[in-house]
């Protein structure tokens, strides 16, 4: 939504309780919490959920990649026996924090510092690069240069996300179709990013439960299995300009490791969630994930490969670009619904295998591979 | 760094408010009157931005040394919408990533702002040579077409 009058932690508690209920569990079942890198803490979440003793908590500060990193941390804890039921939650007032209103509380703690912080403030801001749009734009322009991706490719990707959003009841852009003319008329912010290349500002929270209890507990919903997960960083992770290869992203290593762990290959995926903070960056990730070859994401978008009914549907909920910005946890939830067969008019037929990527800070990458339970 | 709009208004004249090694880099640039980068005192590897250790040999010994004053653009962005009000008067302006002969790359704003690379064809921009200068604060910048 836009215009929340509640704190991020309140939204997160709502999402946590709904996720527990969906899993047929209660807060008493929780023995782990993966809090987001900002706006709250595992401790604050625990005390508000009545968790009297918390054996496990973990937060990996990789910006937008943190949601999938949290799921990976939770899965490692469950697989190792450190915990059995872990809450992974994110939330923020991504729209309202820039637009303070009288009488509306603001969180006392913002985003946690990430590894990128010193280079941003000391080296990038003095050059006039003050926001994510500017940090990633040189990556996108290099992507255009090396792999021939065009503005029309980006437009096709943005319009694909918008078509998906039209089928999701909670999508911010559900009733706002996008035409090519509309895309081209959207203002240029920082080349090559137009406004419609950029994700939405959103007030929202989302939560997932990672557990080994779902197999034995009576539960409301069908679980999906985590087959593999990966994390990776570009070199150096805290600076874009210093990289020898601007197109080397964290997902390159993360995807390789996740596929190896899962024992699957990209051509087996039925539907995927890609962290679409920006059109070009999402297409670069599609290539890194291997669902299309290098330089092929633009043609794939134009040919409808990422559409419902296409060869590999991407972000059937509309993604960060057209549903809303929930740090990519909305992608995890949508892919879970796809694998459960609960996506309604958005359902990809016989969807059994999916991957979800995360992208954060300066290209840190995460990925989780999910499988339907038969 | 505290973002001080009174300093940043009138970009591109601004004083970096960096700390630690990054502050030392700006001071080294200003003292040398030209762009510098960190060079490992043991193995000679160049690095940027400044680090405590050499990633090649782990040496903690280093010095800021002048690098080539010309560089080649590897990528860029041109900002049309200011993301902070301090830049409202100078849009559109360009920021480039440029590599010097020593093999290190820098993020550099283009001066004057009116020389911004707009509507750019990547093939026409990548590979372009720029001259690199530093101002009285040690802040480096790129000048298009005078390399």
């Amino acid at each position: 939504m836009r215009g929340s009058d509640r704190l991020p932690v309140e939204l997160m508690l709502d999402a946590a309780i709904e996720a527990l209920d969906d899993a047929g569990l209660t807060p008493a079942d929780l023995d782990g919490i993966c809090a987001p890198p900002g706006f709250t803490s595992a401790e604050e979440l625990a005390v508000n959920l009545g968790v009297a003793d918390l054996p496990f908590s973990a937060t990996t500060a990789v910006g937008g990649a943190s949601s999938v990193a949290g799921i990976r941390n939770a899965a490692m804890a469950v697989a190792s026996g450190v915990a059995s039921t872990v809450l992974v939650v994110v939330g923020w007032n991504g729209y309202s924090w820039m637009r303070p209103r009288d009488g509306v509380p603001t969180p006392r703690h913002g985003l946690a510092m990430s590894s990128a912080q010193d280079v941003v403030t000391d080296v990038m801001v003095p050059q006039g690069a003050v926001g994510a749009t500017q940090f990633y734009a040189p990556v996108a322009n290099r992507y255009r240069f090396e792999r021939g991706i065009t503005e029309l490719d980006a437009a096709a990707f943005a319009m694909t996300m918008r078509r998906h959003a039209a089928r999701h009841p909670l999508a911010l852009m559900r009733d706002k179709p996008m035409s090519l003319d509309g895309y081209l008329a959207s203002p240029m912010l920082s080349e090559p990013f137009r406004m419609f290349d950029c994700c939405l500002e959103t007030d929202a929270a989302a939560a997932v439960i990672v557990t080994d209890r779902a197999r034995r507990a009576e539960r409301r919903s069908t679980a999906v299995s985590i087959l593999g997960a990966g994390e990776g960083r570009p070199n150096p992770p805290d600076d874009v300009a210093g990289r020898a290869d601007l197109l080397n992203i964290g997902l390159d290593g993360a995807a390789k490791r996740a596929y190896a762990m899962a024992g699957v290959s990209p051509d087996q995926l039925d539907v995927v969630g890609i962290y679409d903070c920006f059109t070009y960056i999402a297409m670069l990730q599609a290539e890194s994930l291997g669902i299309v070859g290098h330089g092929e994401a633009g043609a794939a978008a134009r040919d409808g490969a990422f559409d419902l009914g296409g060869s590999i549907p991407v972000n059937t909920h509309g993604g960060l670009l057209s549903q809303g910005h929930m740090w990519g946890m909305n992608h995890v939830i949508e892919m879970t619904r796809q694998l459960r067969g609960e996506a309604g008019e958005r359902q990809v037929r016989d969807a059994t295998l999916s991957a979800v990527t995360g992208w954060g800070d300066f290209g840190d990458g995460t990925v989780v591979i999910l499988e339907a339970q038969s | 760094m505290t973002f001080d709009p009174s300093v940043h208004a009138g970009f591109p004249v601004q004083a970096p408010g960096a700390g630690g090694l990054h502050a030392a880099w700006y001071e080294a640039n200003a003292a040398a009157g030209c762009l510098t980068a960190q060079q490992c005192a043991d193995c000679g590897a160049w690095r940027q931005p400044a680090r405590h250790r050499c990633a090649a040999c782990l040496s903690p010994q280093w010095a800021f040394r002048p690098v080539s004053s010309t560089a080649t653009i590897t990528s860029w962005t041109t900002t049309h919408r200011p993301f902070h009000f301090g830049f409202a008067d100078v849009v559109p302006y360009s920021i480039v990533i440029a590599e010097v002969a020593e093999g290190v790359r820098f993020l550099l704003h283009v001066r004057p702002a009116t020389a911004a690379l707009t509507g750019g064809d990547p093939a026409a921009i990548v590979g372009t040579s720029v001259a690199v200068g530093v101002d009285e604060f040690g802040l480096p910048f790129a000048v298009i077409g005078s390399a």
Side-chain angles (χ1 to χ4, degrees):
Chain A
M1 67 175 293
R2 286 174 166 176
S4 168
D5 57 5
R6 300 166 71 222
L7 291 168
V9 65
E10 297 178 89
L11 305 181
M12 283 187 256
L13 290 166
D14 284 354
I17 290 165
E18 189 176 331
L20 283 163
D21 186 56
D22 183 72
L25 300 168
T26 73
D29 295 305
L30 289 179
D31 55 8
I33 295 178
C34 292
F39 310 114
T40 187
S41 63
E43 288 76 8
E44 184 181 32
L45 293 165
V47 73
N48 280 282
L49 291 169
V51 178
D53 184 16
L54 188 66
F56 173 73
S57 72
T59 299
T60 301
V62 282
S66 301
S67 298
V68 171
I71 291 172
R72 180 170 176 265
N73 287 335
M76 288 192 289
V78 171
S80 67
V82 168
S84 73
T85 301
V86 182
L87 166 68
V88 189
V89 62
V90 300
W92 69 339
N93 284 336
Y95 178 86
S96 293
W97 78 338
M98 301 282 192
R99 300 167 178 84
R101 287 165 290 144
D102 287 343
V104 175
T106 55
R108 297 180 64 193
H109 306 284
L111 279 170
M113 292 292 162
S114 73
S115 60
Q117 198 66 31
D118 284 352
V119 173
V120 171
T121 55
D122 291 356
V123 179
M124 301 176 88
V125 170
Q127 294 293 342
V130 302
T133 310
Q134 295 170 304
F135 303 154
Y136 299 153
V139 175
N141 270 330
R142 187 73 193 185
Y143 180 46
R144 292 170 64 207
F145 173 74
E146 286 193 33
R147 300 192 190 168
I149 301 299
T150 69
E151 182 175 56
L152 294 179
D153 297 334
F157 191 91
M159 291 189 290
T160 304
M161 296 304 103
R162 194 60 61 93
R163 283 192 291 275
H164 289 324
R167 299 187 194 93
H168 197 292
L170 294 179
L172 283 175
M173 294 296 146
R174 176 186 169 86
D175 301 317
K176 295 182 179 173
M178 185 195 299
S179 65
L180 179 59
D181 286 345
Y183 170 88
L184 293 172
S186 73
M188 186 65 81
L189 304 185
S190 198
E191 295 180 32
F193 296 139
R194 296 180 178 281
M195 182 181 287
F196 285 178
D197 290 306
C198 304
C199 56
L200 303 169
E201 296 170 310
T202 314
D203 301 337
V208 164
I209 306 296
V210 176
T211 182
D212 63 359
R213 297 180 56 126
R215 279 188 236 123
R216 56 179 188 264
E218 185 177 334
R219 59 188 186 274
R220 288 193 179 184
S221 301
T222 310
V224 300
S225 298
I226 298 171
L227 291 191
E231 183 174 312
R233 287 162 178 77
N235 181 31
D238 64 347
D239 178 45
V240 174
R243 292 175 193 163
D245 178 2
L246 284 173
L247 302 189
N248 167 233
I249 59 176
L251 184 59
D252 296 345
K256 189 176 168 186
R257 291 185 273 277
Y259 286 131
M261 185 185 294
V264 303
S265 56
D267 59 315
Q268 293 177 264
L269 299 170
D270 300 304
V271 56
V272 300
I274 292 183
Y275 195 92
D276 53 328
C277 46
F278 298 92
T279 51
Y280 294 93
I281 299 300
M283 291 192 286
L284 177 61
Q285 287 176 76
E287 296 179 9
S288 173
L289 189 62
I291 60 170
V292 293
H294 282 194
E296 295 176 0
R302 280 186 280 108
D303 294 345
F306 302 147
D307 276 274
L308 199 57
S311 56
I312 181 70
V314 172
N315 297 349
T316 47
H317 55 315
L320 305 175
L321 287 164
S322 280
Q323 190 205 30
H325 192 317
M326 279 163 258
W327 293 43
M329 195 69 93
N330 46 331
H331 298 47
V332 177
I333 289 171
E334 176 70 3
M335 292 307 115
T336 300
R337 289 187 173 136
Q338 286 286 356
L339 297 178
R340 286 173 171 181
E342 296 174 353
E345 62 176 317
R346 309 185 309 279
Q347 185 65 46
V348 173
R349 192 180 305 166
D350 301 326
T352 56
L353 195 66
S354 178
V356 185
T357 75
W359 165 288
D361 281 358
F362 289 155
D364 296 342
T366 50
V367 61
V368 62
I369 296 175
L370 304 172
E371 185 183 47
Q373 288 191 352
S374 50
Chain B
M1 169 180 183
T2 302
F3 199 96
D4 180 349
S6 68
V7 172
H8 283 75
F11 173 91
V13 178
Q14 57 188 275
L21 289 177
H22 302 314
W25 176 58
Y26 291 115
E27 289 164 10
N29 288 342
C34 66
L35 181 65
T36 71
Q38 242 182 339
Q39 186 177 30
C40 176
D42 286 313
C43 77
W46 292 91
R47 61 188 195 256
Q48 161 68 21
R51 310 292 187 186
H52 297 287
R53 295 266 181 167
C54 174
C57 75
L58 302 183
S59 170
Q61 305 298 323
W62 53 267
F64 289 115
R65 300 192 191 285
V67 294
S68 171
S69 61
T70 62
T72 303
I73 295 176
T74 61
S75 198
W76 85 101
T77 186
T78 298
T79 297
H80 295 258
R81 176 84 56 105
F83 293 93
H84 186 283
F85 58 82
F87 296 96
D89 294 337
V90 294
V91 289
Y93 64 94
S94 289
I95 305 165
V96 302
I97 296 175
E99 182 169 318
V100 295
E102 288 76 8
V104 283
R105 291 154 293 274
F106 298 85
L107 191 71
L108 303 165
H109 66 284
V110 172
R111 294 190 189 184
T114 50
L117 306 156
T118 55
D121 167 14
I125 294 173
V126 173
T128 298
S129 290
V130 296
V132 184
V134 298
D135 65 15
E136 64 269 39
F137 306 111
L139 182 73
F141 58 90
V143 179
I144 307 284
S146 58

